Amino acid sequence: MELTISHFGKVHRLGYNVLMIDSDVIVMHDPYKYFKHPPFKDITVMNQAESPVDPNGGVLYVQNAAPDGPAAFMFAEIVLRPYRWADDGWKHAHKLGLSERCLYADQDGYADVLPDMASGYMLFPKAWFCLPEARRQEAYWQSVRATGEQHMRQVWRDEQIPVPDSWQIMTNGRTTELRSLQLRMPNSRGWPTELGGQWYPTERGPYSTDFLQQLMDDAPDLPIWLDPENSSNAAAADRVPPETFAFMPDWLGLGYWLRGRKGYWDPNMTGNIAQQVIEHTHYIDTHANTAMAKRVVPMSLHRYNWDLPRQANGNQPYFACQGFGADCSKLKVLAFSPSVEKLLASSASWHEFTFLLQGLAALATALGRAVAWPSLPCNTAWVSRGRSVERPPLRLGGMWLPWSSPEGDLMCTPWPYVNDECLSRGRGMLPWEHNHMHSQQHSEADSDSSIIHAEHERHAEEDHVKEGHFALASQVVAINATSEVDTLQPMQDRAILLLDSFVHVVFSEATSLQKQAYNRFWQECTVLDTAAYTAIFDHDGNRVPSIPTAFSTKPMADLGLSHRPARLRRGRLHRHDHSLIKP
């Protein structure tokens, strides 16, 4: 990212207006329709917000920046800050107690420089956190931080701005919020002791000198800013015309966790038009693999390009292909049939849902197949817990990824599926992957699938013991892995098998290798481990803090519910061709 910011700073100094977006960004509508119209057309820097005071480097637009103005300086200074410490081999930085990774990330550098631009001083608020903990606790450095914060007070302006009628489907009203500040040219102003003294080495070295020379060589006829480290330039710096910085309103540019998961990115929930111009996946604050999540969000929005992973990785478009082998076309899947998956809406608890997942995963393991992980309707009672799922903002727990099915139903998929342990090495497929695979299979002449049905044995018709958190237990069939897997061998050439019943798989000594494989799966894929999972999430589906406080919610595990029904009836599996499903 340092290289990106470096080029970014060079390009807009040459007079270009630049929109920079990360690779995990989806542009839903033409952003220039908004950038070039009041109230945004006179704003020099527009940025996605990371927090109310910190910018996010993933979505950034700069327009009409002066080559020697505050915006051009700001982006150069983000790059220059670690260069200045490297100029003397980090000797000066080490005296302060700064490590060589201080402000190494572009995000930290940006958040460090922006307060300088608002205050006119060289403040280094993020670099302060690079100091050793013991030094930060010293009275002097505590005072430095407090003084820096005083310079940042009242620099932000919050207002409601009228918008054109044509924007109101996006803004949900006649006005939009706008948070902005004025960018000023900063100066060291003699490196005041109360602000930490001199943060940089006294003399410039080769790194910063060469970078500044590159900027001047790129545009030899354009002016460049006065040296901000020279305190005699302070008065001139104060006379430099300010430029405006603003955070993009939420509907213009924001991350998934703050807006997308609330339903605003889903056209089916917002009047057939996504109430978001620029969508940035950014990060997922739950029990999921963030790198995987960056691919999953566009899948859930039905905006994923399935050809790209094929081109990049060969014939390996799915997460299950990772570690599976060179030819992922041999991947085979076991899924609930559509009718059985619909029954999951009648489940009574996470404990029951997990128990039903365990049966599917165990049978898939015994058959050497990937699990097609199922979803639930978001209006399932124990998922929604009385909260509305009709329109944004959705207030579902952080464990759920809401998305609209092609039929228009709002579905909820557990985020913890999205991990190597549940998907890679041929273990599992997400709903959108399975749907894509199914469509590909049925586009080929030799495609086929078959139905597996389970029935209770006649002599196993004993009364069922009802348990409040197991509504579907009477429909679960306990099967023996040894005999039943042999029964299904004639179907093993089919790419997709559909399970038309709920099962509980019992492994015997004859299937010890299969049992060991499933136990590893169960131990590593948290979503199958009821005890581990219910200790992570609370009753509302949100993560329990790692360090609980008096106000923290209690984990689901505190309910003390059993992890499986008290009694299950035995049965057998039966094969049916996909066109011959029998009651």
Side-chain angles (χ1 to χ4, degrees):
M1 281 302 295
E2 179 187 301
L3 187 60
T4 303
I5 293 291
S6 174
H7 284 295
F8 185 75
K10 292 180 179 182
V11 171
H12 72 70
R13 217 180 86 78
L14 294 171
Y16 293 95
N17 298 336
V18 185
L19 172 62
M20 185 174 75
I21 58 176
D22 278 356
S23 60
D24 60 338
V25 165
I26 304 173
V27 179
M28 297 294 288
H29 308 290
D30 180 3
Y32 295 100
K33 170 184 175 181
Y34 306 98
F35 292 159
K36 300 303 183 182
H37 193 287
F40 304 126
K41 73 180 184 68
D42 295 323
I43 296 174
T44 306
V45 181
M46 279 183 283
N47 221 132
Q48 176 190 327
E50 175 82 3
S51 77
V53 296
D54 290 328
N56 179 281
V59 180
L60 175 61
Y61 182 62
V62 176
Q63 59 184 345
N64 307 321
D68 57 345
F73 168 80
M74 177 171 68
F75 292 107
E77 180 67 9
I78 294 170
V79 178
L80 278 166
R81 208 145 268 197
Y83 284 178
R84 283 294 287 117
W85 287 319
D87 276 341
D88 72 344
W90 289 83
K91 294 177 182 177
H92 185 80
H94 289 165
K95 287 181 180 178
L96 291 173
L98 303 177
S99 75
E100 295 182 15
R101 295 193 63 82
C102 184
L103 307 187
Y104 177 80
D106 66 299
Q107 192 89 356
D108 293 336
Y110 198 173
D112 197 57
V113 174
L114 183 61
D116 296 8
M117 310 307 301
S119 68
Y121 285 80
M122 307 284 272
L123 297 179
F124 297 83
K126 290 293 182 182
W128 184 90
F129 285 97
C130 297
L131 298 172
E133 174 66 23
R135 181 162 293 188
R136 294 203 305 269
Q137 296 304 319
E138 294 173 3
Y140 168 69
W141 286 104
Q142 287 288 316
S143 175
V144 167
R145 184 184 182 191
T147 304
E149 289 176 345
Q150 288 177 4
H151 282 284
M152 281 300 295
R153 289 176 182 169
Q154 299 180 339
V155 299
W156 292 101
R157 181 180 181 183
D158 295 294
E159 52 190 330
Q160 289 290 324
I161 304 293
V163 298
D165 292 346
S166 61
W167 292 17
Q168 292 179 22
I169 192 171
M170 302 295 295
T171 62
N172 269 333
R174 296 180 178 180
T175 62
T176 186
E177 77 286 353
L178 189 66
R179 172 159 250 231
S180 63
L181 55 75
Q182 293 298 297
L183 299 174
R184 301 170 53 191
M185 188 63 72
N187 187 272
S188 66
R189 303 179 190 275
W191 299 106
T193 303
E194 62 269 22
L195 292 177
Q198 185 155 338
W199 284 84
Y200 283 158
T202 303
E203 301 294 332
R204 287 192 180 274
Y207 295 104
S208 64
T209 300
D210 288 351
F211 179 70
L212 287 169
Q213 189 61 50
Q214 288 176 16
L215 293 178
M216 291 185 285
D217 290 345
D218 286 341
D221 297 330
L222 294 178
I224 198 166
W225 49 85
L226 296 173
D227 184 358
E229 297 176 37
N230 186 340
S231 59
S232 66
N233 292 329
D238 291 339
R239 292 193 294 269
V240 173
E243 294 173 323
T244 303
F245 171 98
F247 284 135
M248 295 178 184
D250 291 355
W251 57 269
L252 183 54
L254 200 62
Y256 175 83
W257 198 250
L258 296 177
R259 187 164 170 88
R261 71 188 179 108
K262 298 177 181 179
Y264 291 107
W265 294 9
D266 186 344
N268 288 306
M269 297 199 70
T270 55
N272 294 321
I273 180 171
Q275 288 182 332
Q276 190 74 49
V277 178
I278 302 175
E279 303 174 350
H280 185 195
T281 301
H282 187 29
Y283 75 100
I284 305 297
D285 187 19
T286 190
H287 196 68
N289 181 301
T290 299
M292 288 179 160
K294 291 177 183 291
R295 290 170 57 185
V296 170
V297 168
M299 286 183 194
S300 72
L301 295 168
H302 309 291
R303 296 181 69 89
Y304 188 72
N305 187 330
W306 292 97
D307 290 331
L308 287 180
R310 287 185 183 277
Q311 295 172 15
N313 304 317
N315 190 28
Q316 299 197 358
Y318 311 122
F319 291 122
C321 299
Q322 298 173 14
F324 177 76
D327 188 2
C328 199
S329 65
K330 296 180 179 179
L331 182 71
K332 292 181 170 57
V333 179
L334 178 69
F336 281 136
S337 68
S339 59
V340 168
E341 187 159 351
K342 286 181 180 179
L343 288 176
L344 293 173
S346 300
S347 60
S349 64
W350 174 263
H351 297 69
E352 178 166 47
F353 181 62
T354 305
F355 178 71
L356 299 175
L357 291 181
Q358 290 168 350
L360 179 66
L363 184 57
T365 303
L367 293 171
R369 289 175 173 264
V371 183
W373 295 111
S375 300
L376 288 156
C378 292
N379 61 7
T380 301
W382 62 271
V383 175
S384 64
R385 293 178 61 84
R387 295 166 292 200
S388 172
V389 294
E390 299 300 320
R391 62 183 61 86
L394 299 176
R395 303 192 185 281
L396 297 162
M399 72 192 305
W400 299 112
L401 189 168
W403 57 283
S404 290
S405 71
E407 297 74 29
D409 299 319
L410 187 66
M411 306 300 292
C412 276
T413 299
W415 267 115
Y417 288 164
V418 185
N419 276 294
D420 280 318
E421 294 80 5
C422 301
L423 299 175
S424 301
R425 306 188 301 282
R427 279 186 168 178
M429 299 189 78
L430 297 170
W432 316 281
E433 294 180 309
H434 177 240
N435 290 341
H436 179 263
M437 180 182 183
H438 190 268
S439 67
Q440 295 296 108
Q441 290 290 329
H442 279 267
S443 68
E444 300 171 7
D446 61 349
S447 66
D448 202 356
S449 61
S450 291
I451 298 287
I452 305 170
H453 184 71
E455 293 180 354
H456 291 117
E457 296 176 352
R458 291 185 180 277
H459 64 272
E461 295 295 329
E462 65 266 20
D463 291 336
H464 177 68
V465 178
K466 292 185 177 180
E467 299 172 69
H469 63 293
F470 286 107
L472 298 171
S474 64
Q475 301 187 43
V476 178
V477 181
I479 62 171
N480 182 282
T482 305
S483 58
E484 300 309 305
V485 169
D486 290 341
T487 301
L488 301 178
Q489 285 306 314
M491 307 171 72
Q492 282 288 61
D493 62 326
R494 309 294 173 88
I496 299 172
L497 294 182
L498 299 179
L499 180 61
D500 200 35
S501 310
F502 297 123
V503 298
H504 172 68
V505 179
V506 178
F507 292 97
S508 63
E509 289 303 318
T511 55
S512 59
L513 292 179
Q514 295 169 336
K515 182 177 182 179
Q516 291 172 17
Y518 174 67
N519 284 343
R520 285 194 300 271
F521 194 2
W522 176 83
Q523 291 167 0
E524 295 172 6
C525 178
T526 308
V527 79
L528 294 173
D529 185 344
T530 311
Y533 201 84
T534 55
I536 295 172
F537 289 92
D538 65 18
H539 313 309
D540 289 324
N542 292 309
R543 288 192 73 168
V544 177
S546 56
I547 304 177
T549 68
F551 305 99
S552 298
T553 54
K554 301 298 183 183
M556 283 190 282
D558 278 14
L559 291 173
L561 302 179
S562 58
H563 296 173
R564 55 164 290 175
R567 184 179 301 169
L568 293 170
R569 293 185 294 170
R570 298 186 304 275
R572 299 294 305 274
L573 296 178
H574 302 277
R575 306 193 309 269
H576 297 290
D577 286 339
H578 70 100
S579 59
L580 299 173
I581 304 174
K582 299 178 181 179

